[in-house]
Amino acid sequence: GAVVSQHPSRVICKSGTSVKIECRSLDFQATTMFWYRQFPKQSLMLMATSNEGSKATYEQGVEKDKFLINHASLTLSTLTVTSAHPEDSSFYICSASRDSGNGYTFGSGTRLTVV
Amino acid sequence: QQQVKQSPQSLIVQKGGISIINCAYENTAFDYFPWYQQFPGKGPALLIAIRPDVSEKKEGRFTISFNKSAKQFSLHIMDSQPGDSATYFCAASIGGYNKLIFGAGTRLAVHP
């Protein structure tokens, strides 16, 4: 079945530094990748949608200069949280889909803690 | 504007009972309706999904009922087990590959 690998699973960083999260589709080409943010006991909130080779589309209220998304290939998308602050601490989850409309495959998530 | 409304927020069921979670959507262009199960610290995992051309879909103990005219769909978990204790999310999208909109989630606890 389709597998999406997300790394790292946990990361602790100092306030003001940047953190990169990788999302890879291991056995299929992901036409589109999505990045979500989830606070404790809350739902997944879509941050942005990225298509290979083009700029990401950000949801309203998401700072594109703070959350940099790169989708350089059909199997890799990265999310970089720049100048992280404690309020950026959250669970970040990626997912990938194909144009076939067969649904979405989610990564296992990244727990970001900014101290 | 919340596009997918989910209820209840939490649910307690006895082992062997039926768990029922409901969702309602607003956008009539949605044509892909999945349900996900999420355990703490993990990404969501697909349980079952349905498209509007059928009114019911069953996979094992999980059944989706879909009412297109009412714009509602529900998840039924038969013979609920303690291992089913998790958070369940309904979602909706257009085409099954465009952005996926999630409901607020339901925390299910199955007591032995």
Side-chain angles (χ1 to χ4, degrees):
Chain A
V3 177
V4 169
S5 176
Q6 185 173 344
H7 291 282
S9 58
R10 289 177 175 270
V11 58
I12 300 173
C13 71
K14 291 185 177 181
S15 186
T17 62
S18 296
V19 174
K20 179 183 286 188
I21 302 169
E22 289 191 352
C23 182
R24 293 180 183 272
S25 56
L26 298 185
D27 50 2
F28 68 100
Q29 291 186 324
T31 312
T32 308
M33 287 191 174
F34 306 88
W35 287 94
Y36 293 85
R37 182 174 183 176
Q38 186 178 33
F39 290 108
K41 299 184 180 181
Q42 293 190 21
S43 185
L44 286 78
M45 299 302 297
L46 181 65
M47 298 174 66
T49 302
S50 72
N51 293 290
E52 183 261 342
S54 60
K55 289 184 178 181
T57 300
Y58 290 81
E59 295 298 303
Q60 189 174 8
V62 178
E63 299 176 61
K64 62 180 181 181
D65 294 330
K66 181 167 187 60
F67 299 99
L68 300 179
I69 292 172
N70 184 278
H71 193 164
S73 75
L74 283 172
T75 60
L76 174 64
S77 177
T78 61
L79 167 68
T80 301
V81 183
T82 63
S83 185
H85 292 285
E87 57 265 31
D88 298 323
S89 298
S90 188
F91 193 53
Y92 293 87
I93 308 170
C94 70
S95 74
S97 70
R98 289 166 280 191
D99 282 347
S100 58
N102 288 330
Y104 311 79
T105 303
F106 283 81
S108 54
T110 297
R111 172 73 59 195
L112 170 64
T113 303
V114 184
V115 298
Chain B
Q1 184 181 16
Q2 187 178 3
Q3 296 191 56
V4 181
K5 294 183 179 180
Q6 182 173 346
S7 63
Q9 190 174 19
S10 63
L11 181 62
I12 298 174
V13 174
Q14 293 298 314
K15 179 182 176 181
I18 303 174
S19 303
I20 302 174
I21 305 172
N22 301 298
C23 279
Y25 63 97
E26 299 170 2
N27 189 346
T28 55
F30 287 148
D31 61 358
Y32 178 76
F33 303 92
W35 284 90
Y36 290 89
Q37 179 189 59
Q38 186 181 33
F39 292 103
K42 303 294 184 182
L46 178 67
L47 278 176
I48 187 172
I50 198 168
R51 292 191 181 271
D53 52 343
V54 296
S55 60
E56 186 174 281
K57 183 175 181 180
K58 182 176 181 179
E59 289 185 3
R61 295 186 294 112
F62 302 98
T63 299
I64 296 181
S65 297
F66 185 81
N67 186 328
K68 186 175 181 179
S69 61
K71 294 188 288 185
Q72 295 175 346
F73 58 110
S74 60
L75 174 70
H76 294 230
I77 305 174
M78 312 300 287
D79 188 26
S80 299
Q81 299 297 313
D84 297 330
S85 298
T87 299
Y88 293 81
F89 293 96
C90 63
S93 79
I94 300 172
Y97 58 89
N98 290 303
K99 63 181 181 180
L100 189 62
I101 306 301
F102 282 83
T106 297
R107 301 185 77 184
L108 171 66
V110 181
H111 291 177

